[in-house]
Amino acid sequence: SLRCSQNSNLCCRKDYYVDFRDIGWNDWIIKPEGYQINYCVGQCPLHVAGSPGMASSFHTAVFNLVKANNVHASGHSCCVPTRRRPLSVLYFDRNSNIVKTDIPDMIVDACGCS
Amino acid sequence: AAAEPLCPVCGAAAERRLLEETVKRQLLDKLRLPERPSPGQHLPRAALNRALRRLQEGGTRTAPGDLERGYEIISFAETEPTSPSALGLQFQFSRTQDQDVHILQAQLWLYLRLPRDLVAALTLRIFLASGEGGLVGGNRTLLSERRLRAKGSGWRAFSLMPALQSFFEGQHGTLRLELESGGDGGDLVAFLNASRSQQPFLVAKAKVREPGHQVAKR
């Protein structure tokens, strides 16, 4: 999917990194040092609905539905995550035990129009 | 942002604050923590690194779409000598009631200094103490018994399965173990180095089924 840039307002992935030191959480989160809280933002006019979806056929299917049902042209679809990955965290819990776990679907890797 | 005066820097600051709050809320939700922990005891770095190395040996990765989530836990013991040949270890655990915990592995790591000229054999027994009597008066379940032959100092691992599974299925909170030495090999407390950097610790690997992930009964 697109990474956001200045010259487009289309659906894209905006990257944002939060360092745990900046929020004072590095005393209980041992690893990683920070978290990539990317998010999806931007327009999804109808002609791009369903892209870059899971497969180009998905876009074609959506676009045919739009035409067949004569959906009002000003409609929009939504800019949503289409691929995410887990975040592996090593931290102290409230009993000062050390816990390691993978949190699923925590990092947005790609965005697309629903 | 609308309330902020129209200046680029203010907008960026507002976005930053919003995202930092979102990170905090997301992490606490996903780790199922009511608020951020404040780790009490300061662990010597050497103890932390050693324990983490035990954790590296084979993990419990969570496969995508897995209904159960893998956890690995290291818990350092609070030690309480109850006699020259018996030592109490206490571990603190907390979990939310609706989590279904399945322990895959659990090992107790002890640093023992057995004198090289130790002639007689030393037997080490590990009990799970339960009931209100704590380490002395409550009832006990034998978890492990081993004759220690190798002389010299070093770390030794003792499996705590399958009894630890019953601990996690029942109550949770304080896990009490009692170590007892037998035979005329001498007193356990003298051999077990429970200094800060060689504190006994427990390594457990578990799968946790989150609530709402119950497989529909067909």
Side-chain angles (χ1 to χ4, degrees):
Chain A
S1 86
L2 293 170
R3 280 186 57 177
C4 294
S5 65
Q6 302 302 330
N7 48 20
S8 161
N9 66 352
L10 271 184
C11 175
C12 59
R13 187 195 78 209
K14 184 148 191 188
D15 291 354
Y16 208 97
Y17 181 77
V18 174
D19 190 312
F20 291 135
R21 270 171 307 194
D22 295 346
I23 58 176
W25 278 22
N26 56 312
D27 62 331
W28 70 276
I29 298 180
I30 305 167
K31 287 285 179 196
E33 281 80 20
Y35 166 36
Q36 193 73 37
I37 179 167
N38 306 335
Y39 60 95
C40 301
V41 66
Q43 302 301 319
C44 277
L46 274 186
H47 64 277
V48 291
S51 71
M54 287 35 106
S56 61
S57 57
F58 174 69
H59 171 53
T60 310
V62 167
F63 205 44
N64 290 340
L65 275 173
V66 163
K67 285 190 290 187
N69 294 281
N70 192 22
V71 171
H72 191 48
S74 68
H76 283 249
S77 70
C78 305
C79 183
V80 294
T82 52
R83 195 175 62 248
R84 292 183 286 189
R85 60 190 150 92
L87 174 71
S88 194
V89 188
L90 185 70
Y91 64 95
F92 284 107
D93 72 2
R94 51 193 136 151
N95 300 305
S96 294
N97 297 326
I98 300 167
V99 182
K100 180 179 169 202
T101 188
D102 294 341
I103 307 175
D105 298 335
M106 267 300 260
I107 300 172
V108 173
D109 253 352
C111 301
C113 293
S114 61
Chain B
E4 304 263 341
L6 291 180
C7 77
V9 177
C10 311
E15 182 194 37
R16 173 164 204 76
R17 274 197 307 276
L18 176 71
L19 285 167
E20 286 179 352
E21 285 316 307
T22 306
V23 166
K24 291 180 179 179
R25 195 175 55 247
Q26 262 189 8
L27 279 169
L28 293 180
D29 285 352
K30 300 278 185 164
L31 295 176
R32 299 172 65 73
L33 295 171
E35 74 269 334
R36 57 145 288 171
S38 300
Q41 57 169 344
H42 174 71
L43 273 176
R45 195 78 204 171
L48 183 62
N49 290 335
R50 179 187 308 110
L52 289 177
R53 275 199 301 277
R54 305 293 180 211
L55 208 56
Q56 302 302 333
E57 292 146 18
T60 54
R61 304 298 292 185
T62 307
D66 198 344
L67 293 183
E68 293 181 317
R69 211 155 106 191
Y71 281 83
E72 296 161 67
I73 299 171
I74 300 171
S75 187
F76 287 89
E78 291 156 27
T79 55
E80 178 193 350
T82 48
S83 78
S85 61
L87 183 76
L89 301 180
Q90 299 204 19
F91 302 89
Q92 299 299 334
F93 294 101
S94 48
R95 62 184 174 87
T96 52
Q97 283 302 332
D98 53 357
Q99 280 181 325
D100 182 8
V101 180
H102 178 58
I103 304 291
L104 305 172
Q105 283 174 36
Q107 289 178 321
L108 174 66
W109 287 87
L110 300 174
Y111 187 79
L112 293 172
R113 287 178 316 184
L114 300 181
R116 294 205 172 278
D117 57 356
L118 180 72
V119 179
L122 180 76
T123 302
L124 178 62
R125 291 186 199 91
I126 300 175
F127 296 91
L128 174 65
S130 51
E132 288 316 308
L135 292 172
V136 183
N139 45 355
R140 309 189 309 175
T141 311
L142 179 64
L143 298 186
S144 168
E145 178 167 4
R146 190 188 299 179
R147 288 168 69 83
L148 301 174
R149 299 182 196 292
K151 306 297 182 271
S153 302
W155 284 95
R156 288 166 172 82
F158 301 84
S159 174
L160 300 179
M161 291 304 282
L164 206 73
Q165 177 63 39
S166 58
F167 168 77
F168 274 94
E169 276 164 359
Q171 84 281 12
H172 59 288
T174 303
L175 170 71
R176 291 186 181 84
L177 299 179
E178 182 163 332
L179 311 183
E180 197 175 81
S181 58
D184 42 12
D187 284 334
L188 171 72
V189 175
F191 299 141
L192 199 141
N193 183 348
S195 69
R196 293 283 292 142
S197 60
Q198 269 121 11
Q199 211 171 329
F201 63 92
L202 183 151
V203 179
K205 295 184 175 25
K207 285 272 189 186
V208 176
R209 181 180 291 266
E210 300 294 337
H213 269 147
Q214 303 306 331
V215 180
K217 299 271 185 286
R218 283 178 179 58

